[in-house]
Amino acid sequence: MDSKDQSNSSSSGGGYFASFTSRLSNLGTALGLMSDEGVEVRNSEAGGAEDSVEVINPEGGTEDSVEEANKGRWKQEERESHWKIMKNYIGSDITSLVTLPVFIMEPMSTLQKMAEIMEYSHLLDLADECEDPHMRMVYATTWAVSVYYALQRTWKPFNPILGETYEMVNHGGITFLAEQVCHHPPVGAAHAENEHFTYDLTSKLKTKLLGNSVEIYPVGRTRVTLKRDGVVLDLVPPPSKANNLIFGRTWVDSAGDMIMTNMTTGEKVVLYFQPCGWFGAGRYEVDGYVYNAAEEPKILMTGKWNQSMSYQPCDMEGEPLPGTELKEVWKVADAPENDKFQYTHFAHKINSLDTAPKKLLASDSRLRPDRYVLEKGDLSKAGSAKSSLEEKQRAEKRNRDAKGHKFTPRWFEMSEEVATTPWGDLEVYRFNGKYNQHREAADISEDTNIIDIESTEFNPWQYGNVTTE
C-alpha cells in the first residue's frame, strides 16, 4: 500500500472503496457545477474540509484563449501567426531552435530561475545538522520538492547570453553564482555555498515539441555536499510538461520519479509525482519513501508540491508505525496576490539589488536591458533590446570564429566527467574557485560601486575569456 492509499484509509475509515466512491461523488459535483466559461470548479466536502477540483481542458477552447489574451500574453492574430511557425518544429528539440516573442516572457533569465531552488535552503541547513540519516534525507528531498511551486509559472525566462552570470548574496548566508557556459546546446552551471552545504549544478535542458505542448527533460547533474559529515547527495528530478502553449490556458505539470541518493552511505528517497488527470485528479500530489542502504522503507513522505510536505515513520511494509503521526516538514510561503508574472516574494528578491553583492559583475542578468524594460512593462522596447543582444551575441561568435578562438567560461571549467542521466549523457562543469578570490577582493574594496540598472551596461563580452583552438 502506498502512502496515498494509507492516507485515504486513515481519513475515511473505509479504505480503498470509500476513497473511490468519494472521488466519483466529487466528479459528479464537478460536472454539475461546470459552466460554459468555467475552467475551475471549487468543491467543499462535508465537514468543512476544503478541496479544489481544477477542470483541465486539453483541447484549449476559445474561452481559455480569451482569458490568456486578457492577461496580456497573446492576441488571437499573434497565436495564429506563431502557430504557423511552431507547427513546423513538432517532434523537435526547441530549446534553442526557435526565437520566441518577448510577450510570452517573464523579466528573469534562466540563470536567475536556477537560483530559485535556494528559497528554502534552510532545509539543507537542517539536513546538515541532523544526526538521523533518514530524517536527513527527508529534509534534503523536501528542499528539492520545494522549488516546484516556483517552476509552475507559465511565463518563459530569457535564454542567457553566452558568458552571462548571476550572483546572489544576503540569503541564508549563501553565496550563489551561475554562468552560461555553452550556447549550443544551452548549458548553465551553478555553485552555491554557506556554512552547511555546497551545491553544484550542470544543467542542459532537452525539449520535445508536441504541437500545443512541450515536454521538458532535465538533463542535468545536481550534487549537494553536507559539510558536517561530508556526505554527498545526488538528485534526479522528474520531467515536466508545459501544456496549451498556443491555444488554451497554459499550465505546467511534472510527473514521474524524483530520486535523491546519499552516495556516501547508501540511503535513498524515491518520490512519485502524480500526473494531472481529468478534473485535476492527482495534480500536485507527491508520495514516496525514504529507504535505508538495504532498500528497506523507513519513512513515508507525502504532500503536494504546491502546498506542503509531511513525513511519518513506517514499518517494513510501508505502513505508518503505531503511535506515530504525520508531521509537516515544509509549507510554501505566502505569495503576492494577483502578481502579473505569478512571482513569489523570493522571485522579486532575486530580481532586485537587495541580493546583489558589492561590485556586481557587468555580465549579471539583472543588467540585461530586455529583462529590465520588460519588468517596467515596455514590451516594444523589450523586444528591441532582446533582438539587439542576440545580434551582439552572433557578432561576437563570428569574431571568435574568424580569429580561431574558442569561448571558455570564466568561473567554471569542463571536467573529464560525463554524467549519465535518464535523458542522455552530460559533460559536467566544475566550479573553479576563482570567483571566491574575486569576491574576497571585491568585499574588502572601498569602492561601493553603487549599481544603477538602467544606466549600467550589460556586458558579458568584456572579459576576453577565450582560448586559441
Side-chain angles (χ1 to χ4, degrees), residues 166-213:
Y166 177 74
E167 302 173 84
M168 183 182 74
V169 295
N170 302 327
H171 174 72
I174 294 168
T175 298
F176 178 95
L177 173 71
E179 181 178 13
Q180 190 72 3
V181 295
C182 184
H183 184 61
H184 287 296
V187 179
H191 175 83
E193 186 168 356
N194 70 0
E195 63 178 323
H196 291 287
F197 67 86
T198 60
Y199 163 85
D200 290 282
L201 169 71
T202 302
S203 175
K204 181 179 75 172
L205 290 182
K206 181 179 180 181
T207 61
K208 184 178 182 180
L209 182 66
L210 303 178
N212 198 29
S213 63

mmCIF file of all heavy atoms in Angstrom, residues 166-213:
data_model
loop_
_atom_site.group_PDB
_atom_site.id
_atom_site.type_symbol
_atom_site.label_atom_id
_atom_site.label_comp_id
_atom_site.label_asym_id
_atom_site.label_seq_id
_atom_site.Cartn_x
_atom_site.Cartn_y
_atom_site.Cartn_z
ATOM 1 N N TYR A 166 24.929 35.256 -12.962
ATOM 2 C CA TYR A 166 24.001 35.756 -11.948
ATOM 3 C C TYR A 166 24.606 35.488 -10.577
ATOM 4 O O TYR A 166 25.007 34.363 -10.276
ATOM 5 C CB TYR A 166 22.624 35.092 -12.055
ATOM 6 C CG TYR A 166 21.709 35.571 -10.942
ATOM 7 C CD1 TYR A 166 21.169 36.855 -10.987
ATOM 8 C CD2 TYR A 166 21.438 34.771 -9.847
ATOM 9 C CE1 TYR A 166 20.370 37.324 -9.959
ATOM 10 C CE2 TYR A 166 20.632 35.229 -8.812
ATOM 11 C CZ TYR A 166 20.103 36.507 -8.866
ATOM 12 O OH TYR A 166 19.331 36.980 -7.843
ATOM 13 N N GLU A 167 24.671 36.531 -9.767
ATOM 14 C CA GLU A 167 25.215 36.428 -8.414
ATOM 15 C C GLU A 167 24.117 36.717 -7.396
ATOM 16 O O GLU A 167 23.289 37.604 -7.610
ATOM 17 C CB GLU A 167 26.330 37.452 -8.201
ATOM 18 C CG GLU A 167 27.500 37.351 -9.154
ATOM 19 C CD GLU A 167 28.459 38.518 -8.943
ATOM 20 O OE1 GLU A 167 29.317 38.429 -8.046
ATOM 21 O OE2 GLU A 167 28.339 39.519 -9.685
ATOM 22 N N MET A 168 24.125 35.988 -6.286
ATOM 23 C CA MET A 168 23.158 36.240 -5.220
ATOM 24 C C MET A 168 23.833 36.095 -3.864
ATOM 25 O O MET A 168 24.539 35.114 -3.608
ATOM 26 C CB MET A 168 21.982 35.263 -5.311
ATOM 27 C CG MET A 168 20.896 35.519 -4.263
ATOM 28 S SD MET A 168 19.536 34.325 -4.335
ATOM 29 C CE MET A 168 20.328 32.870 -3.625
ATOM 30 N N VAL A 169 23.605 37.093 -2.998
ATOM 31 C CA VAL A 169 24.057 37.035 -1.608
ATOM 32 C C VAL A 169 22.891 37.487 -0.726
ATOM 33 O O VAL A 169 21.786 37.712 -1.209
ATOM 34 C CB VAL A 169 25.295 37.938 -1.376
ATOM 35 C CG1 VAL A 169 26.494 37.429 -2.176
ATOM 36 C CG2 VAL A 169 24.989 39.387 -1.750
ATOM 37 N N ASN A 170 23.138 37.608 0.559
ATOM 38 C CA ASN A 170 22.137 38.113 1.516
ATOM 39 C C ASN A 170 20.907 37.227 1.616
ATOM 40 O O ASN A 170 19.788 37.712 1.790
ATOM 41 C CB ASN A 170 21.710 39.553 1.155
ATOM 42 C CG ASN A 170 22.873 40.512 1.109
ATOM 43 O OD1 ASN A 170 23.836 40.372 1.871
ATOM 44 N ND2 ASN A 170 22.816 41.485 0.205
ATOM 45 N N HIS A 171 21.111 35.916 1.506
ATOM 46 C CA HIS A 171 20.010 34.969 1.727
ATOM 47 C C HIS A 171 20.585 33.710 2.379
ATOM 48 O O HIS A 171 21.309 32.947 1.742
ATOM 49 C CB HIS A 171 19.316 34.607 0.412
ATOM 50 C CG HIS A 171 18.280 33.528 0.575
ATOM 51 N ND1 HIS A 171 17.071 33.748 1.193
ATOM 52 C CD2 HIS A 171 18.289 32.213 0.215
ATOM 53 C CE1 HIS A 171 16.374 32.614 1.206
ATOM 54 N NE2 HIS A 171 17.084 31.680 0.621
ATOM 55 N N GLY A 172 20.284 33.527 3.658
ATOM 56 C CA GLY A 172 20.713 32.324 4.367
ATOM 57 C C GLY A 172 22.220 32.139 4.415
ATOM 58 O O GLY A 172 22.690 31.005 4.518
ATOM 59 N N GLY A 173 22.963 33.247 4.334
ATOM 60 C CA GLY A 173 24.413 33.133 4.355
ATOM 61 C C GLY A 173 24.993 32.512 3.101
ATOM 62 O O GLY A 173 26.169 32.121 3.078
ATOM 63 N N ILE A 174 24.203 32.450 2.037
ATOM 64 C CA ILE A 174 24.608 31.757 0.812
ATOM 65 C C ILE A 174 25.274 32.714 -0.165
ATOM 66 O O ILE A 174 24.845 33.847 -0.344
ATOM 67 C CB ILE A 174 23.387 31.112 0.127
ATOM 68 C CG1 ILE A 174 22.805 30.000 0.991
ATOM 69 C CG2 ILE A 174 23.731 30.564 -1.255
ATOM 70 C CD1 ILE A 174 21.457 29.516 0.520
ATOM 71 N N THR A 175 26.327 32.241 -0.792
ATOM 72 C CA THR A 175 26.864 32.876 -1.987
ATOM 73 C C THR A 175 26.507 31.982 -3.164
ATOM 74 O O THR A 175 26.871 30.807 -3.192
ATOM 75 C CB THR A 175 28.392 33.036 -1.908
ATOM 76 O OG1 THR A 175 28.716 33.877 -0.795
ATOM 77 C CG2 THR A 175 28.934 33.669 -3.178
ATOM 78 N N PHE A 176 25.759 32.530 -4.120
ATOM 79 C CA PHE A 176 25.289 31.760 -5.280
ATOM 80 C C PHE A 176 25.832 32.404 -6.549
ATOM 81 O O PHE A 176 25.796 33.621 -6.714
ATOM 82 C CB PHE A 176 23.757 31.753 -5.333
ATOM 83 C CG PHE A 176 23.187 31.022 -6.523
ATOM 84 C CD1 PHE A 176 22.800 29.695 -6.426
ATOM 85 C CD2 PHE A 176 23.032 31.661 -7.756
ATOM 86 C CE1 PHE A 176 22.271 29.018 -7.521
ATOM 87 C CE2 PHE A 176 22.513 30.999 -8.853
ATOM 88 C CZ PHE A 176 22.137 29.667 -8.735
ATOM 89 N N LEU A 177 26.335 31.569 -7.452
ATOM 90 C CA LEU A 177 26.830 32.042 -8.742
ATOM 91 C C LEU A 177 26.402 31.081 -9.835
ATOM 92 O O LEU A 177 26.544 29.856 -9.695
ATOM 93 C CB LEU A 177 28.357 32.133 -8.730
ATOM 94 C CG LEU A 177 29.009 32.462 -10.087
ATOM 95 C CD1 LEU A 177 28.731 33.908 -10.477
ATOM 96 C CD2 LEU A 177 30.499 32.189 -10.063
ATOM 97 N N ALA A 178 25.882 31.621 -10.921
ATOM 98 C CA ALA A 178 25.553 30.824 -12.106
ATOM 99 C C ALA A 178 26.180 31.480 -13.322
ATOM 100 O O ALA A 178 26.319 32.705 -13.381
ATOM 101 C CB ALA A 178 24.041 30.704 -12.284
ATOM 102 N N GLU A 179 26.568 30.669 -14.296
ATOM 103 C CA GLU A 179 27.186 31.172 -15.524
ATOM 104 C C GLU A 179 26.701 30.348 -16.707
ATOM 105 O O GLU A 179 26.575 29.121 -16.608
ATOM 106 C CB GLU A 179 28.708 31.087 -15.427
ATOM 107 C CG GLU A 179 29.448 31.610 -16.662
ATOM 108 C CD GLU A 179 30.965 31.555 -16.514
ATOM 109 O OE1 GLU A 179 31.454 30.902 -15.568
ATOM 110 O OE2 GLU A 179 31.660 32.162 -17.345
ATOM 111 N N GLN A 180 26.417 31.037 -17.824
ATOM 112 C CA GLN A 180 26.082 30.336 -19.058
ATOM 113 C C GLN A 180 27.393 29.912 -19.707
ATOM 114 O O GLN A 180 28.142 30.736 -20.216
ATOM 115 C CB GLN A 180 25.269 31.226 -19.994
ATOM 116 C CG GLN A 180 24.687 30.506 -21.196
ATOM 117 C CD GLN A 180 23.541 29.571 -20.828
ATOM 118 O OE1 GLN A 180 23.139 29.490 -19.670
ATOM 119 N NE2 GLN A 180 22.991 28.866 -21.811
ATOM 120 N N VAL A 181 27.655 28.602 -19.708
ATOM 121 C CA VAL A 181 28.967 28.105 -20.119
ATOM 122 C C VAL A 181 28.991 27.596 -21.549
ATOM 123 O O VAL A 181 30.055 27.348 -22.117
ATOM 124 C CB VAL A 181 29.450 26.999 -19.158
ATOM 125 C CG1 VAL A 181 29.670 27.566 -17.763
ATOM 126 C CG2 VAL A 181 28.460 25.835 -19.109
ATOM 127 N N CYS A 182 27.816 27.418 -22.152
ATOM 128 C CA CYS A 182 27.741 26.944 -23.536
ATOM 129 C C CYS A 182 26.448 27.467 -24.146
ATOM 130 O O CYS A 182 25.434 27.586 -23.445
ATOM 131 C CB CYS A 182 27.797 25.418 -23.587
ATOM 132 S SG CYS A 182 27.828 24.703 -25.251
ATOM 133 N N HIS A 183 26.490 27.769 -25.441
ATOM 134 C CA HIS A 183 25.313 28.314 -26.108
ATOM 135 C C HIS A 183 24.590 27.271 -26.950
ATOM 136 O O HIS A 183 23.365 27.234 -26.990
ATOM 137 C CB HIS A 183 25.706 29.496 -26.987
ATOM 138 C CG HIS A 183 24.533 30.177 -27.626
ATOM 139 N ND1 HIS A 183 23.523 30.764 -26.877
ATOM 140 C CD2 HIS A 183 24.201 30.368 -28.932
ATOM 141 C CE1 HIS A 183 22.613 31.286 -27.696
ATOM 142 N NE2 HIS A 183 22.994 31.060 -28.947
ATOM 143 N N HIS A 184 25.328 26.431 -27.679
ATOM 144 C CA HIS A 184 24.734 25.350 -28.476
ATOM 145 C C HIS A 184 25.422 24.031 -28.124
ATOM 146 O O HIS A 184 26.563 23.815 -28.518
ATOM 147 C CB HIS A 184 24.887 25.632 -29.975
ATOM 148 C CG HIS A 184 23.994 26.708 -30.501
ATOM 149 N ND1 HIS A 184 22.625 26.611 -30.510
ATOM 150 C CD2 HIS A 184 24.288 27.917 -31.034
ATOM 151 C CE1 HIS A 184 22.116 27.712 -31.029
ATOM 152 N NE2 HIS A 184 23.103 28.517 -31.357
ATOM 153 N N PRO A 185 24.755 23.157 -27.360
ATOM 154 C CA PRO A 185 23.437 23.341 -26.739
ATOM 155 C C PRO A 185 23.540 24.258 -25.524
ATOM 156 O O PRO A 185 24.632 24.401 -24.959
ATOM 157 C CB PRO A 185 23.058 21.918 -26.311
ATOM 158 C CG PRO A 185 24.374 21.272 -26.022
ATOM 159 C CD PRO A 185 25.335 21.835 -27.034
ATOM 160 N N PRO A 186 22.417 24.870 -25.100
ATOM 161 C CA PRO A 186 22.458 25.750 -23.940
ATOM 162 C C PRO A 186 22.792 24.976 -22.665
ATOM 163 O O PRO A 186 22.093 24.021 -22.310
ATOM 164 C CB PRO A 186 21.041 26.328 -23.876
ATOM 165 C CG PRO A 186 20.443 26.079 -25.223
ATOM 166 C CD PRO A 186 21.080 24.826 -25.717
ATOM 167 N N VAL A 187 23.862 25.378 -21.992
ATOM 168 C CA VAL A 187 24.281 24.737 -20.745
ATOM 169 C C VAL A 187 24.595 25.823 -19.730
ATOM 170 O O VAL A 187 25.324 26.773 -20.028
ATOM 171 C CB VAL A 187 25.523 23.841 -20.940
ATOM 172 C CG1 VAL A 187 25.933 23.204 -19.611
ATOM 173 C CG2 VAL A 187 25.256 22.754 -21.975
ATOM 174 N N GLY A 188 24.028 25.683 -18.546
ATOM 175 C CA GLY A 188 24.324 26.585 -17.446
ATOM 176 C C GLY A 188 24.945 25.811 -16.304
ATOM 177 O O GLY A 188 24.641 24.630 -16.086
ATOM 178 N N ALA A 189 25.837 26.458 -15.570
ATOM 179 C CA ALA A 189 26.464 25.846 -14.405
ATOM 180 C C ALA A 189 26.242 26.755 -13.206
ATOM 181 O O ALA A 189 26.201 27.987 -13.351
ATOM 182 C CB ALA A 189 27.955 25.620 -14.637
ATOM 183 N N ALA A 190 26.098 26.167 -12.030
ATOM 184 C CA ALA A 190 25.850 26.959 -10.826
ATOM 185 C C ALA A 190 26.594 26.352 -9.643
ATOM 186 O O ALA A 190 26.825 25.137 -9.579
ATOM 187 C CB ALA A 190 24.354 27.039 -10.527
ATOM 188 N N HIS A 191 26.956 27.232 -8.715
ATOM 189 C CA HIS A 191 27.600 26.825 -7.470
ATOM 190 C C HIS A 191 27.051 27.691 -6.351
ATOM 191 O O HIS A 191 26.924 28.914 -6.507
ATOM 192 C CB HIS A 191 29.121 26.985 -7.563
ATOM 193 C CG HIS A 191 29.838 26.695 -6.272
ATOM 194 N ND1 HIS A 191 30.172 25.413 -5.884
ATOM 195 C CD2 HIS A 191 30.280 27.522 -5.290
ATOM 196 C CE1 HIS A 191 30.796 25.465 -4.723
ATOM 197 N NE2 HIS A 191 30.876 26.725 -4.337
ATOM 198 N N ALA A 192 26.717 27.081 -5.228
ATOM 199 C CA ALA A 192 26.251 27.823 -4.059
ATOM 200 C C ALA A 192 26.900 27.229 -2.818
ATOM 201 O O ALA A 192 27.216 26.023 -2.777
ATOM 202 C CB ALA A 192 24.732 27.771 -3.947
ATOM 203 N N GLU A 193 27.053 28.080 -1.810
ATOM 204 C CA GLU A 193 27.734 27.598 -0.610
ATOM 205 C C GLU A 193 27.380 28.471 0.587
ATOM 206 O O GLU A 193 27.232 29.683 0.476
ATOM 207 C CB GLU A 193 29.246 27.616 -0.835
ATOM 208 C CG GLU A 193 30.061 26.999 0.278
ATOM 209 C CD GLU A 193 31.511 26.770 -0.111
ATOM 210 O OE1 GLU A 193 31.866 27.029 -1.278
ATOM 211 O OE2 GLU A 193 32.281 26.326 0.764
ATOM 212 N N ASN A 194 27.203 27.818 1.733
ATOM 213 C CA ASN A 194 27.158 28.524 3.010
ATOM 214 C C ASN A 194 27.880 27.648 4.040
ATOM 215 O O ASN A 194 28.622 26.727 3.661
ATOM 216 C CB ASN A 194 25.718 28.877 3.431
ATOM 217 C CG ASN A 194 24.880 27.670 3.833
ATOM 218 O OD1 ASN A 194 25.342 26.523 3.813
ATOM 219 N ND2 ASN A 194 23.633 27.918 4.214
ATOM 220 N N GLU A 195 27.704 27.893 5.320
ATOM 221 C CA GLU A 195 28.448 27.141 6.332
ATOM 222 C C GLU A 195 28.004 25.687 6.442
ATOM 223 O O GLU A 195 28.725 24.861 7.013
ATOM 224 C CB GLU A 195 28.308 27.811 7.692
ATOM 225 C CG GLU A 195 26.867 27.847 8.226
ATOM 226 C CD GLU A 195 26.783 28.464 9.600
ATOM 227 O OE1 GLU A 195 27.708 28.240 10.401
ATOM 228 O OE2 GLU A 195 25.797 29.173 9.871
ATOM 229 N N HIS A 196 26.849 25.354 5.857
ATOM 230 C CA HIS A 196 26.315 23.999 6.000
ATOM 231 C C HIS A 196 26.473 23.119 4.763
ATOM 232 O O HIS A 196 26.556 21.896 4.884
ATOM 233 C CB HIS A 196 24.825 24.064 6.366
ATOM 234 C CG HIS A 196 24.551 24.578 7.728
ATOM 235 N ND1 HIS A 196 24.805 23.844 8.860
ATOM 236 C CD2 HIS A 196 24.058 25.784 8.139
ATOM 237 C CE1 HIS A 196 24.463 24.545 9.935
ATOM 238 N NE2 HIS A 196 24.014 25.727 9.519
ATOM 239 N N PHE A 197 26.492 23.699 3.572
ATOM 240 C CA PHE A 197 26.462 22.859 2.368
ATOM 241 C C PHE A 197 27.136 23.554 1.202
ATOM 242 O O PHE A 197 27.307 24.777 1.177
ATOM 243 C CB PHE A 197 25.023 22.497 1.995
ATOM 244 C CG PHE A 197 24.191 23.669 1.555
ATOM 245 C CD1 PHE A 197 24.191 24.109 0.227
ATOM 246 C CD2 PHE A 197 23.407 24.378 2.464
ATOM 247 C CE1 PHE A 197 23.441 25.189 -0.183
ATOM 248 C CE2 PHE A 197 22.652 25.471 2.065
ATOM 249 C CZ PHE A 197 22.669 25.877 0.734
ATOM 250 N N THR A 198 27.490 22.749 0.205
ATOM 251 C CA THR A 198 27.830 23.256 -1.123
ATOM 252 C C THR A 198 26.876 22.604 -2.117
ATOM 253 O O THR A 198 26.433 21.465 -1.920
ATOM 254 C CB THR A 198 29.282 22.936 -1.520
ATOM 255 O OG1 THR A 198 29.472 21.516 -1.520
ATOM 256 C CG2 THR A 198 30.269 23.586 -0.574
ATOM 257 N N TYR A 199 26.575 23.361 -3.157
ATOM 258 C CA TYR A 199 25.612 22.927 -4.173
ATOM 259 C C TYR A 199 26.254 23.143 -5.535
ATOM 260 O O TYR A 199 26.793 24.219 -5.811
ATOM 261 C CB TYR A 199 24.331 23.757 -4.030
ATOM 262 C CG TYR A 199 23.394 23.743 -5.219
ATOM 263 C CD1 TYR A 199 22.455 22.737 -5.377
ATOM 264 C CD2 TYR A 199 23.431 24.771 -6.166
ATOM 265 C CE1 TYR A 199 21.570 22.749 -6.462
ATOM 266 C CE2 TYR A 199 22.556 24.793 -7.240
ATOM 267 C CZ TYR A 199 21.630 23.775 -7.377
ATOM 268 O OH TYR A 199 20.766 23.792 -8.438
ATOM 269 N N ASP A 200 26.212 22.115 -6.374
ATOM 270 C CA ASP A 200 26.806 22.214 -7.705
ATOM 271 C C ASP A 200 25.846 21.648 -8.738
ATOM 272 O O ASP A 200 25.315 20.547 -8.573
ATOM 273 C CB ASP A 200 28.133 21.466 -7.763
ATOM 274 C CG ASP A 200 29.210 22.170 -6.949
ATOM 275 O OD1 ASP A 200 29.758 23.167 -7.438
ATOM 276 O OD2 ASP A 200 29.488 21.733 -5.809
ATOM 277 N N LEU A 201 25.660 22.406 -9.807
ATOM 278 C CA LEU A 201 24.705 22.026 -10.854
ATOM 279 C C LEU A 201 25.301 22.269 -12.229
ATOM 280 O O LEU A 201 25.898 23.314 -12.487
ATOM 281 C CB LEU A 201 23.423 22.854 -10.709
ATOM 282 C CG LEU A 201 22.413 22.772 -11.868
ATOM 283 C CD1 LEU A 201 21.742 21.400 -11.893
ATOM 284 C CD2 LEU A 201 21.367 23.876 -11.763
ATOM 285 N N THR A 202 25.140 21.289 -13.100
ATOM 286 C CA THR A 202 25.310 21.474 -14.537
ATOM 287 C C THR A 202 23.968 21.160 -15.172
ATOM 288 O O THR A 202 23.421 20.077 -14.948
ATOM 289 C CB THR A 202 26.396 20.560 -15.119
ATOM 290 O OG1 THR A 202 27.642 20.807 -14.470
ATOM 291 C CG2 THR A 202 26.554 20.794 -16.618
ATOM 292 N N SER A 203 23.422 22.110 -15.931
ATOM 293 C CA SER A 203 22.057 21.966 -16.430
ATOM 294 C C SER A 203 22.000 22.145 -17.939
ATOM 295 O O SER A 203 22.454 23.160 -18.474
ATOM 296 C CB SER A 203 21.140 22.995 -15.757
ATOM 297 O OG SER A 203 19.840 22.952 -16.302
ATOM 298 N N LYS A 204 21.451 21.156 -18.618
ATOM 299 C CA LYS A 204 21.231 21.219 -20.067
ATOM 300 C C LYS A 204 19.833 20.707 -20.354
ATOM 301 O O LYS A 204 19.591 19.495 -20.361
ATOM 302 C CB LYS A 204 22.269 20.382 -20.826
ATOM 303 C CG LYS A 204 22.090 20.429 -22.348
ATOM 304 C CD LYS A 204 23.149 19.601 -23.070
ATOM 305 C CE LYS A 204 22.897 18.122 -22.959
ATOM 306 N NZ LYS A 204 23.817 17.333 -23.817
ATOM 307 N N LEU A 205 18.904 21.626 -20.573
ATOM 308 C CA LEU A 205 17.527 21.217 -20.822
ATOM 309 C C LEU A 205 17.388 20.594 -22.214
ATOM 310 O O LEU A 205 18.015 21.023 -23.173
ATOM 311 C CB LEU A 205 16.581 22.404 -20.712
ATOM 312 C CG LEU A 205 16.354 22.984 -19.312
ATOM 313 C CD1 LEU A 205 15.362 24.123 -19.394
ATOM 314 C CD2 LEU A 205 15.857 21.921 -18.350
ATOM 315 N N LYS A 206 16.560 19.592 -22.279
ATOM 316 C CA LYS A 206 16.207 18.967 -23.547
ATOM 317 C C LYS A 206 14.693 19.026 -23.671
ATOM 318 O O LYS A 206 13.973 18.706 -22.724
ATOM 319 C CB LYS A 206 16.696 17.510 -23.573
ATOM 320 C CG LYS A 206 16.409 16.769 -24.873
ATOM 321 C CD LYS A 206 16.951 15.355 -24.797
ATOM 322 C CE LYS A 206 16.678 14.572 -26.076
ATOM 323 N NZ LYS A 206 17.200 13.182 -25.979
ATOM 324 N N THR A 207 14.210 19.455 -24.828
ATOM 325 C CA THR A 207 12.769 19.608 -25.005
ATOM 326 C C THR A 207 12.286 18.827 -26.216
ATOM 327 O O THR A 207 13.064 18.473 -27.105
ATOM 328 C CB THR A 207 12.391 21.091 -25.188
ATOM 329 O OG1 THR A 207 13.049 21.602 -26.359
ATOM 330 C CG2 THR A 207 12.793 21.916 -23.983
ATOM 331 N N LYS A 208 10.977 18.596 -26.247
ATOM 332 C CA LYS A 208 10.347 17.970 -27.405
ATOM 333 C C LYS A 208 8.998 18.621 -27.622
ATOM 334 O O LYS A 208 8.115 18.545 -26.763
ATOM 335 C CB LYS A 208 10.180 16.461 -27.188
ATOM 336 C CG LYS A 208 9.600 15.740 -28.412
ATOM 337 C CD LYS A 208 9.501 14.236 -28.174
ATOM 338 C CE LYS A 208 8.968 13.515 -29.404
ATOM 339 N NZ LYS A 208 8.864 12.046 -29.166
ATOM 340 N N LEU A 209 8.853 19.291 -28.760
ATOM 341 C CA LEU A 209 7.602 19.960 -29.077
ATOM 342 C C LEU A 209 6.586 18.951 -29.575
ATOM 343 O O LEU A 209 6.858 18.176 -30.495
ATOM 344 C CB LEU A 209 7.830 21.037 -30.142
ATOM 345 C CG LEU A 209 6.603 21.858 -30.537
ATOM 346 C CD1 LEU A 209 6.119 22.709 -29.362
ATOM 347 C CD2 LEU A 209 6.920 22.747 -31.739
ATOM 348 N N LEU A 210 5.411 18.954 -28.954
ATOM 349 C CA LEU A 210 4.354 18.014 -29.321
ATOM 350 C C LEU A 210 3.214 18.695 -30.067
ATOM 351 O O LEU A 210 2.208 18.069 -30.355
ATOM 352 C CB LEU A 210 3.807 17.325 -28.067
ATOM 353 C CG LEU A 210 4.838 16.579 -27.221
ATOM 354 C CD1 LEU A 210 4.175 15.994 -25.985
ATOM 355 C CD2 LEU A 210 5.517 15.484 -28.041
ATOM 356 N N GLY A 211 3.373 19.969 -30.370
ATOM 357 C CA GLY A 211 2.311 20.723 -31.025
ATOM 358 C C GLY A 211 1.926 21.881 -30.130
ATOM 359 O O GLY A 211 2.602 22.900 -30.088
ATOM 360 N N ASN A 212 0.845 21.702 -29.367
ATOM 361 C CA ASN A 212 0.385 22.729 -28.447
ATOM 362 C C ASN A 212 0.989 22.559 -27.058
ATOM 363 O O ASN A 212 0.604 23.240 -26.114
ATOM 364 C CB ASN A 212 -1.141 22.710 -28.356
ATOM 365 C CG ASN A 212 -1.694 23.994 -27.769
ATOM 366 O OD1 ASN A 212 -1.111 25.054 -27.904
ATOM 367 N ND2 ASN A 212 -2.826 23.887 -27.094
ATOM 368 N N SER A 213 1.935 21.631 -26.909
ATOM 369 C CA SER A 213 2.595 21.401 -25.629
ATOM 370 C C SER A 213 4.049 21.043 -25.886
ATOM 371 O O SER A 213 4.439 20.725 -27.016
ATOM 372 C CB SER A 213 1.902 20.278 -24.845
ATOM 373 O OG SER A 213 1.987 19.053 -25.559
#
